[in-house]
Amino acid sequence: MADTLPHVAGAPVGVGTPVTRKEDDRLLRGDGRFTDDVRPADALHMAVGRCPFPHARIAHLDTSAAERLDGVRHILVGADVVAATSVISPLRPTPGTPDLPYYALAPEVCVYEGHAFVSVAATSRHIAEDAIDLVEVEWEPLPHVTDTLAALAPEATVLHPAQLDSNLLSTNPMGPGADAELAAADVIVEDVFRVNRVTGLPMEPRAVVAEWRPGARRLTVHCATQVPHLVRMQLAETLHLDEGEVRVIASDVGGGYGLKLGAYPEDVLACLHSMRLVRPVKWAEDRQEHFRATTHARESVHRFRIAATQTGRILAITDTYAADLGGQYSSFGPAQLSSYTYPGPYRVTAGHVERQVVVTNKTPIGAYRGYGQPEVNFARERLMDRLAREVGIDPLEVRLMNLLTPEELPFTNLSGAIYDSGDYPRCLRMAADAVDYSGHRVRGTVRPDGRRTGIGFSSFIERTGYPSAKFLADRRSRYGTHESLTLRANRTGGIDLFTGVSTMGQGSETTIAQVCAQVHGVDFARITVHAGDTGASPLNTGGFSSRTMIAAAGAVRIAASELRAKTLRIAAYRLAVDPEDLTIDGQVVRLRDDPACAISLAEVHEAAIFGRGIPDEEDPGLEATAHYEPPAAAFAFGSAAAVVTVDPETGDFDVDRFVFVHDSGTVVNPLIVEGQVRGALAQGFGAALGEELRYDRDTGQLVSGSMLDYFAPTAADLPEWELLHTEVASPVTPFGVRGVGETGTIPPAAAIANAICDALSDMNLDITSLPITPESVWRAIAAASAGEGMS
Amino acid sequence: MKPAPFEYVKAVSVADAVALLTEHRGDARLLAGGQSLVPMLNMRLLRPSVVIDVNGLADALGEIALQGDAVAVGALVRYAEIERSSLVAERVPLLRHVVAYIGDRQVRNRGTVGGAVAHADPTGEIALVTLALGAIMRAEGPDGVRDIHAEAFFLGPYTTALAPDEMLTHVIFPPAAPAFRFFERGRKHNDFAVLSLAVVGRPEPDGTWRDIRIALGGVHDRPVLAAAAARALEGRRWDDALVRDAALLALEDCDPPDDFRASAEYRRHLVPVHVRRMLSALAGGHE
């Protein structure tokens, strides 16, 4: 993709054109409109008081001193919220679980450090924070548990005794089983893999501005969210309003990554303050709060196992894992895709998976780019290298032997997921060739300076989109899989495009408009996208699960075809020709064979809009709304290769090269695909090598909850990635697109771990937990040396 | 993340700043570059009643100047000015070298030498260099000016020998041994050091080394000199065995912390490894 030619201004834009984003001008000029940029003149500012303990009962709460502070207008405590609202309903509950209802403020017991228990609306954020300081609380600390596995121990304190008799929220087993294969296997490799708790760190933390107009009965909520229509549904339910009384506006959004999926407690609180005070109320999350109040992700412990023959052929894969939920539910809860993608891109016909969702005294877990897939990829791809070692076959060969071939697709995996199409082995070979793997095998790992160089691979699949609305309904998910769009012609000859997909950096304004331009024929530049406003857009699903293009491309194709057909009919009537002979060419409708016989789009649009000079049988107006549910999920796929040099004395290591080969189907815009891949890789590297939200086991405190201690990579910390791709059109999506937003998060950890283990292969060390740091590598070396000493 | 209420005062002279410190003894903070103070105010980790802004005192405190054969760096000199100073490059090259390890461009444009030293972060690069080069801290208080040697200045984490009513005005670097090596390892680019290390010495014509100083950061509650290791090397010709043994002695002068960035155990492992490597690099004239 690096050699993609830039788009020439004025040339036609359609599917595949590397055009720069429509969003770029406003964002680069500082003219984006984020929620914090919404500044009503009479706005009040909200601050939230948060529990300093991991688990504590509010024995006594006195807000009188805070209320007396000059500038304070309104204070809410848990009892007020319980009286005025319903619980916040999750969008994606874990199947088969009791409800763990939660309110916007803890009424009595806080279950994690940072759990909100009081909120203040005041004339400035400074005063609101001063007021929080003045709230007098007598805390009764309760026993806490922060370690995921320790929470399952019989002696662990039960965090939700009214609903649960242990901290195990649910157990979800799936799969055909593997008893016979495990018994027949020559080789079984297995281990326990610990995946770190991380977060997505959007540049824009969360924010909300709520304004209630009692006479109009309208609640307008500007909110940094990926799903404005779903937030509207949740707010209406929680606040006991009709959905029609709530309008949610989300544009621009400064990064979502899954963290901004659904209503959060602070959204409800800002609305409650505003409804009481009849003033706009703003809350903008600061980074300190963000580390505690916005969902965390990934933390899980996988007991993963691969059974194989002596020749390296996989017989079965199993995974039993504990997924950390945190102290209570969030809108999306713990990742569910581990259970669907654990067999990866391999030919696996026996196995099973079991997810155990565990409650702990930590910030609630939610969705994050990858949503369970990086976790199982790390475990499985590490074990593929262990399998290779056990059977004495090169790791590349073991992968190639087990990868599904193009002829075997479509393939239904152990969990019923259908891999649609693609050439998995080709991607792996491309990665191996790019890093000269055969040369590496000849050269060996030892370098003149005493350091070692290794190469590691990681092959992956990614589910993009959802199998069906029924699939979600069966799992009690409270949304569908469709996208809906409205196209409305305007009198200057352009088209207004209305979508509920908010703009969060993913470039969907551009890509959806590209499809519209291709199908309709109008100039790309004359399509104006209006995104993320529930008052303007048809009811859609939202931007997550790598699904926007898969669904929205279908909707815009239908709507643009419909609009084009009516446009041609009206133009044909006015030109006195047959619509079949007409085409739309930029801003004119003309005869295919005679460009001189033409009428401008502006004229056709105006005729339609005024209802003058159109055929008698045509209704006036020129707009189309379409809804599209994709027939299936599409599976993106690929392989990565890492070249890593390790200092065996200190554990220090450098990722010298990282080659990422992937397939996201038909590429709508190569520039945007590349941006998505690079962004996801940065987050994949961060989670693999530095980021960790660690809680102190004794105090239950988050010890890395600020930018001082959360080691998200900067550009200086990341290697130059080499991006290669194939482009196999998916047969199950419009235009053959696959999702692309999340793939980069999936393979880095395993590829780097495998490269380190390859570099030090004579030491037979192992890496089973994340993040991988110089110290953890040093410890792995020490452990391997100690093991050697014992044997 | 908004600071608790405080009173803001802009000092018009060093004497004015000292008078304000004296008036609000213990409850005032000096604002220079603000790179540590402002975040701590915003997080409400510090709640001084008065913030005394000394940014207007550049005439008195913003110069880098020769004083005899020493280089005096005013407390308000920004890191970026150290980077650009030919005097520093020529006379105190180690100081210039470490600036690249401090923060990012924005931090280096704002942060000051005096702020770094007075803040006394155990991992701070400037503090480490003052120890490695035997710098003198000049402070002004109600009773006048006094000089404090770097070795007596850092008392603990974020704790110095400055009295609450004293203000650091200059850091004075006397002539030091000419050869040096610097090493730093952190969890990410320009992060606080897990380990930082400066070795300084003078190679003599007879092949021996003199004036050895080995300063360590991130491995104690303050920057420390590895005095025992330096003594073992002083006045001798170095071979691999001597360097290895001396490097191990560096552990005698530090007690590494156990924190989120690295365990004490790992830091103890790293200290002799990197001291050995830097000494070898110094002796071999290579990195």
Side-chain angles (χ1 to χ4, degrees):
Chain A
M1 271 171 292
D3 55 357
T4 300
L5 293 171
H7 174 69
V8 178
V13 172
V15 171
T17 311
V19 64
T20 54
R21 298 187 305 180
K22 280 183 175 289
E23 298 90 323
D24 287 345
D25 265 2
R26 69 172 189 267
L27 295 176
L28 294 174
R29 288 166 192 255
D31 202 18
R33 174 68 62 92
F34 298 90
T35 299
D36 195 34
D37 296 320
V38 177
R39 295 183 172 170
D42 55 347
L44 296 168
H45 299 266
M46 184 175 89
V48 177
R50 301 180 186 283
C51 178
F53 298 99
H55 194 196
R57 183 182 307 282
I58 303 168
H60 181 70
L61 183 60
D62 181 355
T63 59
S64 55
E67 280 160 16
R68 286 194 298 271
L69 186 66
D70 194 26
V72 170
R73 291 292 180 268
H74 187 219
I75 296 180
L76 286 167
V77 299
D80 303 324
V81 172
V82 171
T85 71
S86 296
V87 293
I88 301 173
S89 58
L91 296 171
R92 189 153 164 76
T94 301
T97 63
D99 288 332
L100 287 182
Y102 66 99
Y103 288 94
L105 292 175
E108 190 190 348
V109 176
C110 290
V111 289
Y112 58 95
E113 184 209 333
H115 197 165
F117 70 94
V118 64
S119 70
V120 175
T123 50
S124 77
R125 176 69 179 243
H126 288 77
I127 292 171
E129 290 190 19
D130 292 345
I132 295 291
D133 268 1
L134 292 172
V135 172
E136 288 168 29
V137 198
E138 194 183 307
W139 294 103
E140 180 191 329
L142 301 170
H144 65 267
V145 59
T146 53
D147 181 80
T148 311
L149 296 185
L152 292 175
E155 67 272 19
T157 188
V158 176
L159 305 189
H160 295 282
Q163 291 86 19
L164 298 170
D165 53 17
S166 76
N167 293 317
L168 180 62
L169 179 67
S170 69
T171 301
N172 309 117
M174 266 202 307
D179 291 349
E181 289 76 10
L182 289 169
D186 301 319
V187 181
I188 292 177
V189 285
E190 60 189 316
D191 217 323
V192 176
F193 294 87
R194 290 176 182 270
V195 178
N196 46 336
R197 177 176 271 252
V198 298
T199 189
L201 282 188
M203 290 268 276
E204 177 207 29
R206 289 188 295 115
V208 56
V209 179
E211 181 171 14
W212 170 245
R213 294 167 57 212
R217 286 201 65 80
R218 285 297 166 88
L219 180 67
T220 301
V221 183
H222 291 265
C223 177
T225 182
Q226 299 169 236
V227 285
H229 279 288
L230 296 178
V231 168
R232 177 185 188 229
M233 172 184 80
Q234 288 177 296
L235 288 178
E237 285 171 354
T238 303
L239 297 165
H240 309 142
L241 296 172
D242 282 349
E243 266 198 61
E245 293 167 347
V246 183
R247 176 180 175 192
V248 175
I249 304 169
S251 188
D252 289 298
V253 178
Y257 313 122
L259 281 66
K260 296 174 180 171
L261 275 181
Y264 273 89
E266 293 83 359
D267 304 329
V268 174
L269 296 172
C271 292
L272 283 177
H273 285 301
S274 179
M275 292 170 80
R276 167 64 175 273
L277 297 167
V278 195
R279 292 269 296 270
V281 173
K282 170 186 280 193
W283 174 76
E285 188 181 49
D286 68 39
R287 196 57 77 177
Q288 290 290 99
E289 296 184 283
H290 178 77
F291 274 104
R292 291 160 181 81
T294 293
T295 50
H296 296 171
R298 299 252 199 281
E299 185 173 24
S300 50
V301 184
H302 295 256
R303 188 174 296 279
F304 209 96
R305 177 166 57 174
I306 301 178
T309 66
Q310 193 57 52
T311 57
R313 190 165 59 81
I314 298 172
L315 295 175
I317 292 186
T318 71
D319 181 21
T320 301
Y321 65 101
D324 202 307
L325 175 77
Q328 64 186 23
Y329 223 85
S330 67
S331 276
F332 251 68
Q336 298 195 20
L337 278 182
S338 293
S339 293
Y340 292 91
T341 62
Y342 71 102
Y346 302 113
R347 188 183 305 106
V348 188
T349 52
H352 54 81
V353 63
E354 180 178 309
R355 174 180 52 227
Q356 300 165 349
V357 178
V358 185
V359 188
T360 60
N361 291 114
K362 291 178 286 192
T363 288
I365 288 274
Y368 175 37
R369 208 171 192 175
Y371 198 54
Q373 300 175 103
E375 294 91 315
V376 284
N377 185 271
F378 172 58
R380 187 190 64 244
E381 293 300 305
R382 269 304 296 138
L383 286 181
M384 287 301 285
D385 272 34
R386 289 261 295 275
L387 171 62
R389 193 179 179 95
E390 288 281 325
V391 300
I393 303 174
D394 191 277
L396 177 66
E397 293 308 317
V398 168
R399 283 185 176 78
L400 287 171
M401 179 192 316
N402 287 289
L403 281 174
L404 289 158
T405 63
E407 297 72 33
E408 291 171 284
L409 304 186
F411 177 86
T412 303
N413 84 359
L414 296 174
S415 299
I418 301 170
Y419 304 165
D420 52 283
S421 66
D423 191 337
Y424 301 173
R426 175 169 59 158
C427 287
L428 179 56
R429 285 196 193 93
M430 285 168 69
D433 290 346
V435 296
D436 186 22
Y437 185 63
S438 50
H440 168 69
R441 278 285 156 258
V442 174
R443 286 188 299 273
T445 60
V446 181
R447 288 170 42 134
D449 62 1
R451 296 195 299 162
R452 310 288 192 83
T453 298
I455 291 180
F457 296 105
S458 174
S459 296
F460 63 92
I461 40 116
E462 189 216 335
R463 193 185 85 187
T464 71
Y466 286 103
S468 65
K470 181 178 183 308
F471 173 91
L472 290 171
D474 289 347
R475 285 156 185 79
R476 298 199 298 145
S477 296
R478 304 195 59 233
Y479 52 91
T481 71
H482 68 282
E483 270 308 309
S484 305
L485 279 152
T486 295
L487 299 180
R488 182 181 299 155
N490 62 46
R491 280 161 292 209
T492 45
I495 292 177
D496 291 289
L497 189 161
F498 298 87
T499 170
V501 175
S502 49
T503 304
M504 52 189 154
Q506 83 280 43
S508 57
E509 291 186 22
T510 301
T511 48
I512 294 171
Q514 283 181 257
V515 176
C516 180
Q518 165 147 333
V519 174
H520 181 278
V522 67
D523 273 346
F524 171 76
R526 305 300 295 278
I527 301 167
T528 304
V529 182
H530 308 268
D533 181 351
T534 65
S537 61
L539 258 161
N540 74 325
T541 302
F544 58 96
S545 196
S546 292
R547 58 174 295 285
T548 298
M549 246 1 250
I550 292 173
V556 75
R557 180 164 66 182
I558 298 165
S561 301
E562 194 181 309
L563 205 67
R564 176 185 169 91
K566 185 168 179 180
T567 301
L568 293 182
R569 289 197 303 273
I570 294 170
Y573 174 78
R574 294 175 71 91
L575 292 169
V577 297
D578 189 331
E580 300 288 312
D581 298 328
L582 287 174
T583 187
I584 298 175
D585 180 8
Q587 291 313 106
V588 296
V589 188
R590 64 167 174 84
L591 269 181
R592 279 200 179 78
D593 301 332
D594 179 8
C597 179
I599 181 172
S600 74
L601 267 185
E603 191 179 333
V604 177
H605 289 183
E606 182 166 310
I609 292 162
F610 289 154
R612 301 176 193 150
I614 61 174
D616 289 345
E617 65 274 19
E618 293 284 358
D619 291 325
L622 190 54
E623 70 177 71
T625 294
H627 312 273
Y628 178 77
E629 179 182 333
F635 276 79
F637 56 90
S639 285
V643 183
V644 180
T645 296
V646 190
D647 179 341
E649 195 176 15
T650 62
D652 275 322
F653 60 90
D654 295 310
V655 180
D656 304 327
R657 294 182 64 191
F658 192 87
V659 177
F660 181 79
V661 189
H662 79 115
D663 188 302
S664 54
T666 303
V667 171
V668 176
N669 185 325
L671 302 178
I672 287 174
V673 166
E674 181 175 343
Q676 286 286 322
V677 168
R678 288 184 182 277
L681 279 173
Q683 292 183 314
F685 268 68
L689 303 182
E691 298 176 29
E692 182 181 14
L693 292 164
R694 191 193 295 170
Y695 284 77
D696 183 276
R697 192 187 275 249
D698 295 329
T699 66
Q701 301 291 308
L702 176 60
V703 296
S704 49
S706 83
M707 292 301 273
L708 282 178
D709 298 309
Y710 190 75
F711 306 127
T714 63
D717 298 300
L718 296 167
E720 294 251 346
W721 298 305
E722 298 160 63
L723 309 183
L724 300 171
H725 78 149
T726 64
E727 194 166 344
V728 178
S730 168
V732 299
T733 61
F735 304 98
V737 301
R738 304 175 200 275
V740 69
E742 307 179 60
T743 49
T745 61
I746 298 173
I752 295 165
N754 285 341
I756 291 169
C757 293
D758 177 53
L760 303 174
S761 54
D762 55 324
M763 299 181 187
N764 195 19
L765 82 166
D766 211 344
I767 294 173
T768 54
S769 66
L770 298 177
I772 308 161
T773 66
E775 178 166 356
S776 76
V777 172
W778 174 71
R779 288 185 182 283
I781 292 169
S785 308
E788 204 165 71
M790 282 186 291
S791 62
Chain B
M1 281 220 312
K2 304 294 181 193
F6 59 83
E7 187 188 343
Y8 169 90
V9 188
K10 195 165 175 70
V12 296
S13 65
V14 172
D16 184 34
V18 169
L20 286 162
L21 282 172
T22 307
E23 182 187 341
H24 301 283
R25 192 177 167 88
D27 202 17
R29 287 275 170 164
L30 296 177
L31 172 67
Q35 298 305 294
S36 299
L37 178 64
V38 171
M40 289 166 84
L41 291 174
N42 283 341
M43 294 183 200
R44 301 194 176 208
L45 295 171
L46 282 179
R47 299 174 183 228
S49 56
V50 182
V51 169
I52 305 164
D53 185 351
V54 296
N55 281 283
L57 309 184
D59 284 350
L61 305 177
E63 296 280 312
I64 303 170
L66 263 182
Q67 282 187 3
D69 53 2
V71 175
V73 178
L76 263 185
V77 169
R78 317 274 164 181
Y79 303 129
E81 293 170 297
I82 296 285
E83 276 183 292
R84 291 194 294 263
S85 163
S86 55
L87 187 60
V88 170
E90 183 189 322
R91 299 275 182 141
V92 204
L94 174 58
L95 179 61
R96 186 185 184 288
H97 180 82
V98 302
V99 168
Y101 293 81
I102 299 172
D104 51 28
R105 180 59 61 193
Q106 293 90 326
V107 168
R108 297 203 288 272
N109 281 339
R110 294 295 305 162
T112 64
V113 169
V117 171
H119 185 55
D121 188 304
T123 70
E125 289 86 358
I126 299 286
L128 182 81
V129 168
T130 64
L131 265 185
L133 299 178
I136 307 291
M137 318 301 181
R138 181 157 292 167
E140 191 167 329
D143 302 327
V145 173
R146 70 167 176 142
D147 286 348
I148 310 163
H149 198 275
E151 286 165 65
F153 186 80
F154 301 104
L155 303 182
Y158 313 104
T159 310
T160 70
L162 289 173
D165 52 7
E166 275 185 315
M167 174 182 175
L168 182 72
T169 59
H170 295 86
V171 180
I172 299 165
F173 293 91
F180 70 86
R181 286 292 182 275
F182 176 80
F183 174 83
E184 182 171 300
R185 182 64 79 225
R187 287 290 299 274
K188 60 185 267 190
H189 185 68
N190 283 359
D191 183 41
F192 297 94
V194 166
L195 163 76
S196 58
L197 164 64
V199 295
V200 177
R202 180 189 312 284
E204 298 290 345
D206 63 358
T208 62
W209 285 82
R210 299 276 173 192
D211 302 334
I212 314 295
R213 291 175 80 91
I214 302 168
L216 297 165
V219 292
H220 201 69
D221 68 355
R222 71 200 93 151
V224 288
L225 285 174
R231 274 196 304 275
L233 295 160
E234 184 71 29
R236 300 182 63 176
R237 292 191 184 82
W238 299 355
D239 58 24
D240 287 352
L242 178 67
V243 165
R244 192 180 315 114
D245 293 347
L248 282 169
L249 289 175
L251 286 171
E252 289 192 359
D253 290 294
C254 58
D255 181 13
D258 216 347
D259 64 27
F260 182 69
R261 282 177 167 70
S263 69
E265 188 187 5
Y266 184 52
R267 286 182 160 108
R268 289 186 72 82
H269 170 74
L270 292 182
V271 167
V273 170
H274 289 297
V275 171
R276 186 195 81 221
R277 289 181 180 183
M278 285 302 104
L279 288 169
S280 299
L282 188 70
H286 58 82
E287 283 288 343

